[in-house]
Amino acid sequence: MSRISQIDLDDRNLPPPTPEIEQERRVAIFDLIEDNSFALPARGERAAPEGPYHLGLAIRDKRLVFDVASEAGEKAAEFHLSLSPFRQVVKDYYQICESYFTAVKTLPPSQIETIDMARRGIHNEGSRVLQERLEGKAEIDTDTARRLFTLICVLHFGG
């Protein structure tokens, strides 16, 4: 099965998340476990370990770390991605999310919808960058990339 069955965020060195960030995190993890597509490609002559997979996400030494294991706990893959390609899109996404959370409390639905459309556009851009960065390392669909991008934002901004 080419999917993620468990996800763990290494957030022990991060400050506690805001209630909004915690909600985004919970929803992303729930949605990700419910429906995702994640496969490891074969490497040369070596077949890829089969899923489902347990995925650990962390930021270590200014790099995004994907730690992939089988359900039995055997190491399947580990890859480290530079955070540089994500910095601007994560910053933009975080800012638009702050605007969205404020708008939900004070603005009429038409203005909230406009902000939400912008938020989705930035989110799509982040998921596209993630898919590009994972090329050759892991195969994921767009919805999985979107949910993983949300979790990257949670880790990147430390809650």
Side-chain angles (χ1 to χ4, degrees), residues 48-110:
E50 291 190 24
Y53 303 103
H54 291 190
L55 175 63
L57 280 179
I59 293 182
R60 286 188 223 126
D61 300 321
K62 299 182 182 178
R63 298 186 70 76
L64 177 62
V65 178
F66 282 72
D67 189 2
V68 186
S70 69
E71 284 208 308
E74 298 166 359
K75 183 77 132 187
E78 180 174 303
F79 29 93
H80 300 236
L81 306 177
S82 171
L83 286 170
S84 296
F86 295 101
R87 281 207 173 89
Q88 189 60 51
V89 71
V90 168
K91 182 179 177 184
D92 292 346
Y93 184 68
Y94 191 77
Q95 288 174 335
I96 198 79
C97 282
E98 281 186 350
S99 297
Y100 176 78
F101 295 137
T102 301
V104 166
K105 297 173 191 171
T106 60
L107 296 177
S110 62

Side-chain angles (χ1 to χ4, degrees), residues 36-55:
N36 69 79
S37 175
F38 185 95
L40 296 174
R43 301 239 179 213
E45 298 288 320
R46 197 181 88 194
E50 291 190 24
Y53 303 103
H54 291 190
L55 175 63

Side-chain angles (χ1 to χ4, degrees), residues 9-55:
L9 295 182
D10 182 357
D11 61 356
R12 56 193 152 175
N13 295 324
L14 302 176
T18 65
E20 293 88 359
I21 297 291
E22 181 60 30
Q23 176 64 15
E24 291 280 319
R25 172 183 163 158
R26 273 196 304 266
V27 168
I29 290 173
F30 177 84
D31 288 348
L32 190 60
I33 298 304
E34 287 296 308
D35 183 30
N36 69 79
S37 175
F38 185 95
L40 296 174
R43 301 239 179 213
E45 298 288 320
R46 197 181 88 194
E50 291 190 24
Y53 303 103
H54 291 190
L55 175 63

